[in-house]
Amino acid sequence: MREEYIRPWEKNIRSVVPYVPGEQPREKDVIKLNTNENPFPPAPGVEKVLKNMDTDSLRLYPDPTIGLLVEEIAKFYQVEKEQVFVGVGSDDVLAMAYLTFFNSDKPILFPDITYSFYPVWCDLYRIPYETPALDEEFRLVKEDYYKDNGGIIIANPNAPTSIYESISTIEDIVAHNTNSVVIIDEAYIDFAGESALSLIDKYDNLLVVQTFSKSRSMAGMRIGFAMGNKKLIKALNDVKYSFNSYTLNQAAILAGVEAIKDKQYFKEGINKLIEIRKEAEKSLKELGFDFPASGANFLFVTHKTIPAKKLYEVLKENNIYVRYFDLPRISNYLRVTIGSKEQMDKLFEFLNQYINNK
Ligand SMILES: *Cc1c(COP(=O)(O)O)cnc(C)c1O
């Protein structure tokens, strides 16, 4: 009985169903292919700058404008620094962008199968939303976005499907929606193809969001950024300064600068990963898996005979973690992160003996 008494303050709690991040097991011998982390270390300059960090500088607040990193990102992408906004991972940037741009009474639009954080922020901020269905092949149906809306968010490449849509499809959606802000979440773009960044000077309603978590191997440092028209970036900064002025800490700013400066290490890392992805595709095909062509650092796989949930469980029992989503339309799929060559060898060693002995 006592549990059932609802205190007056409890009625005022903003209750939300939270996003559930992938498991982060603590054991060291785990093959961790469940949260799309990069198997390679960050650029060597990151280790150097953190080891040599002047800890006395931690007495001071970090630069609220994140100036050093903003300038370095602007230089890398050849945009102006007033076109760059930096936040604590792209989750923070996206949450800030929802708060800043999605304030209409009309629903915002995103596909039925996509990053599962999108509906959570809608719930948190009380933003109405609609989720047009991807087609049978999990492809975007661009005509579904030719209607009145309060904003649009699209992940390209999409998660968890791994599918990259061409820049012309993205441009078509942006061009049909010049009355609302269109956010393209490009967490995996460096493993795919052309970025929508090339369109930000043509469309003032386009915001492109990227992250250091995947292609730059820095998920633990929490750095994300958005690029777009100066008005969009100013609006984002105004909201940020109304919320928390000091988002990135001093170590993250310095490490981020080192990571983005090292263009060669960045390119080589991506090429190595794509090479491992190619080999993984071959092995998976031989084992009877199907999957769409991937533009990301993961594959979205389904097996001809073995149910995904069963495979997920068996893999986990053998200390190999992949991601399973018990959701409509994708409950027979697994999302498998591309790991190091050694990790993938162990995965395939297990799958070979498990599937061939069935
Ligand atoms: C990983 C991921 C993010 C979040 O990345 P962080 O920068 O680590 O917060 C955002 N969107 C998609 C689609 C992702 O897969």
Side-chain angles (χ1 to χ4, degrees):
M1 285 304 282
R2 278 179 70 197
E3 276 83 24
E4 276 167 36
Y5 171 69
I6 297 171
R7 288 153 185 79
W9 55 263
E10 285 183 280
K11 296 189 182 110
N12 294 326
I13 288 176
R14 182 180 293 263
S15 66
V16 285
V17 181
Y19 171 74
V20 183
E23 298 153 283
Q24 295 288 359
R26 277 160 187 257
E27 302 86 65
K28 275 258 184 258
D29 57 343
V30 166
I31 311 277
K32 194 169 177 308
L33 305 173
N34 68 334
T35 53
N36 296 345
E37 288 139 334
N38 194 308
F40 308 125
V46 172
E47 181 179 359
K48 212 177 285 168
V49 81
L50 291 179
K51 278 194 170 156
N52 297 334
M53 197 175 154
D54 168 20
T55 52
D56 186 55
S57 73
L58 295 180
R59 289 186 302 104
L60 307 177
Y61 282 105
D63 172 12
T65 72
I66 320 177
L68 284 175
L69 184 52
V70 164
E71 274 167 40
E72 216 54 56
I73 292 171
K75 218 190 286 173
F76 185 92
Y77 289 101
Q78 297 180 305
V79 297
E80 292 181 52
K81 54 184 197 299
E82 295 80 12
Q83 292 180 293
V84 178
F85 174 83
V86 173
V88 188
S90 54
D91 286 343
D92 177 58
V93 174
L94 292 169
M96 209 70 88
Y98 267 58
L99 187 56
T100 310
F101 302 117
F102 295 163
N103 289 293
S104 156
D105 295 331
K106 295 170 196 160
I108 71 160
L109 309 176
F110 50 85
D112 62 338
I113 301 166
T114 189
Y115 189 33
S116 46
F117 225 136
Y118 297 166
V120 175
W121 287 311
C122 287
D123 191 22
L124 176 65
Y125 295 135
R126 317 274 152 85
I127 300 165
Y129 65 97
E130 283 172 17
T131 58
L134 296 175
D135 74 12
E136 285 303 300
E137 253 103 57
F138 299 141
R139 303 301 300 260
L140 209 55
V141 183
K142 62 180 197 280
E143 292 79 10
D144 288 346
Y145 298 83
Y146 293 178
K147 61 172 177 184
D148 214 15
N149 63 70
I152 292 174
I153 179 160
I154 288 169
N156 193 38
N158 197 11
T161 66
S162 82
I163 295 172
Y164 170 73
E165 297 289 352
S166 74
I167 202 72
S168 61
T169 302
I170 298 298
E171 175 162 12
D172 183 86
I173 291 174
V174 177
H176 274 88
N177 289 282
T178 51
N179 289 339
S180 49
V181 172
V182 179
I183 300 176
I184 307 298
D185 177 356
E186 294 190 334
Y188 303 101
I189 194 69
D190 299 317
F191 305 108
E194 196 189 341
S195 164
L197 181 62
S198 56
L199 303 172
I200 62 169
D201 289 327
K202 190 166 168 193
Y203 299 97
D204 56 15
N205 61 318
L206 169 64
L207 190 77
V208 176
V209 176
Q210 296 190 7
T211 176
F212 281 49
S213 296
K214 316 286 172 38
S215 59
R216 289 191 167 81
S217 304
M218 290 175 76
M221 202 40 109
R222 314 303 304 128
I223 306 172
F225 56 104
M227 295 177 289
N229 178 272
K230 290 180 187 180
K231 272 197 178 165
L232 294 180
I233 299 303
K234 181 179 183 301
L236 272 172
N237 273 311
D238 287 347
V239 167
K240 172 193 129 167
Y241 289 123
S242 311
F243 197 87
N244 175 9
S245 316
Y246 307 107
T247 48
L248 253 68
N249 67 65
Q250 179 68 359
I253 296 173
L254 296 175
V257 166
E258 292 304 315
I260 199 140
K261 266 190 187 162
D262 199 336
K263 289 187 188 179
Q264 196 187 338
Y265 183 85
F266 174 61
K267 274 205 189 118
E268 285 171 5
I270 286 162
N271 290 341
K272 267 200 296 190
L273 198 124
I274 291 174
E275 204 47 51
I276 301 174
R277 185 176 75 195
K278 267 191 207 147
E279 286 167 28
E281 286 176 343
K282 228 175 85 200
S283 309
L284 285 164
K285 271 261 151 6
E286 287 167 8
L287 286 165
F289 285 94
D290 260 333
F291 44 86
S294 170
N297 66 337
F298 61 89
L299 291 160
F300 192 52
V301 308
T302 185
H303 195 266
K304 289 182 179 30
T305 55
I306 312 170
K309 190 161 190 217
K310 173 75 187 157
L311 262 177
Y312 162 77
E313 283 160 1
V314 177
L315 284 164
K316 189 169 162 179
E317 280 161 23
N318 286 273
N319 268 345
I320 302 172
Y321 283 68
V322 298
R323 193 87 197 256
Y324 174 70
F325 299 94
D326 198 359
L327 293 172
R329 298 185 69 192
I330 59 169
S331 61
N332 202 26
Y333 282 80
L334 294 176
R335 194 193 67 189
V336 182
T337 304
I338 303 298
S340 67
K341 184 144 181 5
E342 295 70 32
Q343 289 176 311
M344 300 311 275
D345 285 349
K346 287 195 178 140
L347 169 70
F348 287 114
E349 191 186 320
F350 174 80
L351 286 176
N352 268 310
Q353 71 81 13
Y354 180 73
I355 292 172
N356 295 327
N357 292 336
K358 263 189 98 74

